[in-house]
Protein backbone atom coordinates (compact mmCIF):
# COMPACT_ATOMS: atom_id res chain seq x y z
CA UNK A 1 0.00 0.00 0.00
CA UNK A 2 1.24 3.53 -0.68
CA UNK A 3 2.71 5.51 2.19
CA UNK A 4 1.05 8.89 2.67
CA UNK A 5 2.09 11.62 5.12
CA UNK A 6 -0.76 10.57 7.41
CA UNK A 7 0.10 6.86 7.39
CA UNK A 8 3.83 7.49 7.76
CA UNK A 9 3.26 9.78 10.73
CA UNK A 10 0.83 7.40 12.43
CA UNK A 11 2.19 3.95 11.66
CA UNK A 12 3.18 1.91 14.70
CA UNK A 13 5.00 -0.65 12.57
CA UNK A 14 8.33 0.69 13.81
CA UNK A 15 7.86 -1.42 16.93
CA UNK A 16 7.71 1.48 19.40
CA UNK A 17 4.08 0.74 20.27
CA UNK A 18 3.12 4.41 20.05
CA UNK A 19 -0.48 5.30 20.78
CA UNK A 20 -2.89 5.29 17.83
CA UNK A 21 -4.68 8.61 17.49
CA UNK A 22 -8.18 9.16 16.13
CA UNK A 23 -9.67 12.33 14.69
CA UNK A 24 -12.31 13.90 16.93
CA UNK A 25 -15.12 15.66 15.07
CA UNK A 26 -18.14 17.83 15.76
CA UNK A 27 -21.72 16.89 14.82
CA UNK A 28 -21.10 18.10 11.26
CA UNK A 29 -17.98 15.96 10.81
CA UNK A 30 -15.49 18.83 11.13
CA UNK A 31 -12.19 17.92 12.79
CA UNK A 32 -11.83 19.45 16.26
CA UNK A 33 -8.87 17.51 17.70
CA UNK A 34 -7.43 14.06 18.36
CA UNK A 35 -7.68 11.41 21.06
CA UNK A 36 -5.99 8.11 21.80
CA UNK A 37 -8.01 5.24 20.33
CA UNK A 38 -8.97 3.41 23.53
CA UNK A 39 -9.80 6.57 25.48
CA UNK A 40 -12.10 7.74 22.65
CA UNK A 41 -14.11 4.52 23.07
CA UNK A 42 -14.38 4.59 26.86
CA UNK A 43 -17.81 5.64 28.18
CA UNK A 44 -19.41 8.00 27.41
CA UNK A 45 -17.26 8.01 24.25
CA UNK A 46 -15.88 10.88 22.18
CA UNK A 47 -17.31 11.56 18.73
CA UNK A 48 -14.67 10.53 16.20
CA UNK A 49 -14.26 9.84 12.49
CA UNK A 50 -14.66 6.25 11.30
CA UNK A 51 -15.36 4.33 8.10
CA UNK A 52 -17.24 1.18 7.10
CA UNK A 53 -16.69 -0.81 3.91
CA UNK A 54 -19.17 -3.17 2.20
CA UNK A 55 -17.66 -5.30 -0.57
CA UNK A 56 -19.63 -7.63 -2.84
CA UNK A 57 -18.70 -10.45 -5.20
CA UNK A 58 -19.88 -10.81 -8.80
CA UNK A 59 -23.07 -12.58 -7.59
CA UNK A 60 -24.04 -9.63 -5.38
CA UNK A 61 -23.15 -11.40 -2.13
CA UNK A 62 -21.84 -9.32 0.78
CA UNK A 63 -18.45 -10.18 2.28
CA UNK A 64 -18.75 -10.41 6.06
CA UNK A 65 -15.90 -10.77 8.49
CA UNK A 66 -15.87 -12.24 11.96
CA UNK A 67 -13.68 -10.09 14.16
CA UNK A 68 -10.70 -11.97 15.60
CA UNK A 69 -11.04 -13.20 19.17
CA UNK A 70 -7.94 -11.22 20.20
CA UNK A 71 -9.44 -7.81 19.38
CA UNK A 72 -10.06 -5.61 22.44
CA UNK A 73 -13.36 -4.27 21.05
CA UNK A 74 -16.22 -6.58 19.97
CA UNK A 75 -14.10 -9.74 19.56
CA UNK A 76 -15.65 -12.75 17.83
CA UNK A 77 -18.69 -10.96 16.43
CA UNK A 78 -19.63 -10.72 12.76
CA UNK A 79 -19.61 -7.39 11.00
CA UNK A 80 -19.32 -5.70 7.62
CA UNK A 81 -16.36 -6.30 5.30
CA UNK A 82 -14.07 -3.83 7.05
CA UNK A 83 -14.34 -0.94 9.45
CA UNK A 84 -11.92 1.30 11.26
CA UNK A 85 -10.64 4.81 11.76
CA UNK A 86 -8.62 7.13 9.53
CA UNK A 87 -5.42 8.46 11.01
CA UNK A 88 -5.54 12.19 11.73
CA UNK A 89 -5.19 13.93 8.37
CA UNK A 90 -5.87 10.75 6.35
CA UNK A 91 -8.77 10.86 3.90
CA UNK A 92 -11.53 8.35 4.82
CA UNK A 93 -11.42 6.87 1.29
CA UNK A 94 -7.67 6.21 1.60
CA UNK A 95 -8.13 4.74 5.08
CA UNK A 96 -10.90 2.42 3.87
CA UNK A 97 -8.72 1.08 1.03
CA UNK A 98 -5.69 0.78 3.33
CA UNK A 99 -7.47 -1.16 6.09
CA UNK A 100 -9.28 -3.45 3.65
CA UNK A 101 -5.88 -4.44 2.28
CA UNK A 102 -4.31 -4.77 5.75
CA UNK A 103 -7.15 -6.90 7.16
CA UNK A 104 -8.21 -8.97 4.14
CA UNK A 105 -5.29 -8.79 1.71
CA UNK A 106 -7.39 -7.38 -1.14
CA UNK A 107 -7.71 -4.02 -2.84
CA UNK A 108 -11.37 -3.12 -3.46
CA UNK A 109 -12.60 -2.54 -7.01
CA UNK A 110 -15.03 0.26 -7.86
CA UNK A 111 -14.84 1.59 -4.30
CA UNK A 112 -17.30 4.48 -3.99
CA UNK A 113 -18.57 6.75 -1.25
CA UNK A 114 -22.01 5.83 0.13
CA UNK A 115 -22.72 8.70 2.52
CA UNK A 116 -22.16 9.17 6.24
CA UNK A 117 -24.00 8.17 9.39
CA UNK A 118 -23.62 9.34 12.99
CA UNK A 119 -24.41 6.98 15.85
CA UNK A 120 -23.86 6.18 19.51
CA UNK A 121 -23.73 2.43 20.20
CA UNK A 122 -22.59 1.12 23.60
CA UNK A 123 -21.13 -2.40 23.58
CA UNK A 124 -22.68 -4.18 26.59
CA UNK A 125 -19.95 -6.83 26.76
CA UNK A 126 -16.89 -4.55 26.86
CA UNK A 127 -18.46 -1.36 28.22
CA UNK A 128 -16.88 0.55 25.32
CA UNK A 129 -18.90 3.05 23.29
CA UNK A 130 -18.96 3.61 19.53
CA UNK A 131 -19.59 7.34 19.26
CA UNK A 132 -18.85 7.73 15.56
CA UNK A 133 -19.23 9.91 12.49
CA UNK A 134 -18.92 7.09 9.98
CA UNK A 135 -18.02 7.41 6.28
CA UNK A 136 -19.57 4.57 4.25
CA UNK A 137 -18.07 2.89 1.17
CA UNK A 138 -19.26 0.18 -1.20
CA UNK A 139 -17.33 -1.75 -3.80
CA UNK A 140 -16.41 -5.10 -5.28
CA UNK A 141 -13.93 -7.79 -4.29
CA UNK A 142 -12.49 -9.56 -7.33
CA UNK A 143 -9.40 -11.34 -6.00
CA UNK A 144 -8.79 -14.12 -3.45
CA UNK A 145 -8.87 -13.09 0.20
CA UNK A 146 -5.74 -13.29 2.34
CA UNK A 147 -7.06 -12.40 5.82
CA UNK A 148 -4.75 -11.31 8.62
CA UNK A 149 -5.54 -13.81 11.40
CA UNK A 150 -4.84 -11.23 14.11
CA UNK A 151 -7.69 -9.12 12.70
CA UNK A 152 -10.13 -11.58 11.10
CA UNK A 153 -11.43 -14.87 12.53
CA UNK A 154 -13.51 -16.00 9.53
CA UNK A 155 -15.06 -14.59 6.37
CA UNK A 156 -18.28 -15.42 4.54
CA UNK A 157 -20.07 -14.25 1.40
CA UNK A 158 -23.83 -14.01 2.01
CA UNK A 159 -26.95 -13.14 0.07
CA UNK A 160 -29.47 -10.71 1.56
CA UNK A 161 -31.65 -13.65 2.64
CA UNK A 162 -28.71 -15.50 4.20
CA UNK A 163 -27.70 -12.36 6.08
CA UNK A 164 -31.21 -11.98 7.52
CA UNK A 165 -31.05 -15.57 8.79
CA UNK A 166 -27.53 -15.16 10.20
CA UNK A 167 -28.46 -11.89 11.89
CA UNK A 168 -31.46 -13.49 13.58
CA UNK A 169 -29.35 -16.38 14.90
CA UNK A 170 -25.84 -14.96 15.33
CA UNK A 171 -23.89 -12.26 17.10
CA UNK A 172 -23.14 -9.10 15.12
CA UNK A 173 -21.39 -5.87 16.02
CA UNK A 174 -23.51 -3.22 17.71
CA UNK A 175 -23.07 -0.86 14.74
CA UNK A 176 -23.64 -3.36 11.92
CA UNK A 177 -27.32 -2.79 11.14
CA UNK A 178 -26.97 1.00 11.45
CA UNK A 179 -24.19 1.17 8.87
CA UNK A 180 -25.79 -1.44 6.59
CA UNK A 181 -29.14 0.34 6.52
CA UNK A 182 -27.44 3.68 5.84
CA UNK A 183 -25.43 2.19 2.94
CA UNK A 184 -28.38 0.33 1.34
CA UNK A 185 -29.14 2.91 -1.41
CA UNK A 186 -25.54 2.72 -2.68
CA UNK A 187 -25.51 -1.07 -2.24
CA UNK A 188 -28.65 -1.41 -4.38
CA UNK A 189 -27.09 0.80 -7.04
CA UNK A 190 -23.95 -1.37 -7.09
CA UNK A 191 -25.58 -4.82 -6.96
CA UNK A 192 -28.82 -4.19 -8.88
CA UNK A 193 -32.41 -4.96 -7.84
CA UNK A 194 -32.14 -8.74 -8.30
CA UNK A 195 -29.63 -9.05 -5.43
CA UNK A 196 -32.37 -8.11 -2.94
CA UNK A 197 -30.50 -5.57 -0.86
Amino acid sequence: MPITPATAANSSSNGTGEAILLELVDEDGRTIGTAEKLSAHQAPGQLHRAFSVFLFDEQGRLLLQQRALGKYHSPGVWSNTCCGHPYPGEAPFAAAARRTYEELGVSPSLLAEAGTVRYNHPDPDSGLVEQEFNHLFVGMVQSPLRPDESEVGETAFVTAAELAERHANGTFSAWFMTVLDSARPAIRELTGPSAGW
Side-chain angles (χ1 to χ4, degrees), residues 48-52 84-86 92 119 130 132-137:
H48 57 274
R49 194 176 310 284
F51 63 83
S52 290
H85 309 92
Y119 53 79
E130 287 292 2
E132 294 188 329
F133 188 94
N134 197 310
H135 297 256
L136 308 172
F137 299 93

Side-chain angles (χ1 to χ4, degrees), residues 1-180:
M1 291 301 289
I3 301 297
T4 68
T7 58
N10 293 285
S11 174
S12 60
S13 61
N14 59 10
T16 61
E18 295 175 16
I20 296 173
L21 296 179
L22 307 184
E23 225 173 55
L24 300 180
V25 299
D26 65 15
E27 293 292 336
D28 296 314
R30 291 184 294 251
T31 303
I32 58 171
T34 60
E36 191 277 323
K37 183 177 178 181
L38 182 57
S39 69
H41 289 88
Q42 291 172 333
Q46 295 173 280
L47 183 59
H48 57 274
R49 194 176 310 284
F51 63 83
S52 290
V53 178
F54 297 85
L55 297 184
F56 295 82
D57 67 8
E58 302 284 347
Q59 290 78 49
R61 298 179 302 168
L62 172 61
L63 172 59
L64 297 176
Q65 73 154 275
Q66 184 184 39
R67 295 167 61 84
L69 291 175
K71 292 181 83 73
Y72 77 92
H73 190 348
S74 302
V77 302
W78 287 91
S79 200
N80 49 292
T81 307
C82 180
C83 53
H85 309 92
Y87 293 129
E90 183 182 23
F93 185 94
R98 173 180 58 80
R99 282 304 292 164
T100 301
Y101 185 82
E102 290 171 356
E103 291 187 9
L104 294 160
V106 294
S107 295
S109 303
L110 306 174
L111 192 65
E113 294 182 18
T116 60
V117 61
R118 191 259 195 256
Y119 53 79
N120 178 3
H121 286 302
D123 175 34
D125 293 329
S126 68
L128 299 175
V129 178
E130 287 292 2
Q131 186 85 252
E132 294 188 329
F133 188 94
N134 197 310
H135 297 256
L136 308 172
F137 299 93
V138 300
M140 304 286 292
V141 59
Q142 297 176 307
S143 56
L145 303 177
R146 298 186 318 277
D148 177 348
E149 293 179 3
S150 68
E151 297 282 351
V152 181
E154 290 184 52
T155 60
F157 284 95
V158 297
T159 65
E162 289 167 343
L163 176 61
E165 184 178 333
R166 275 177 173 258
H167 192 260
N169 300 310
T171 305
F172 279 76
S173 64
W175 61 87
F176 175 72
M177 286 309 297
T178 299
V179 293
L180 175 63

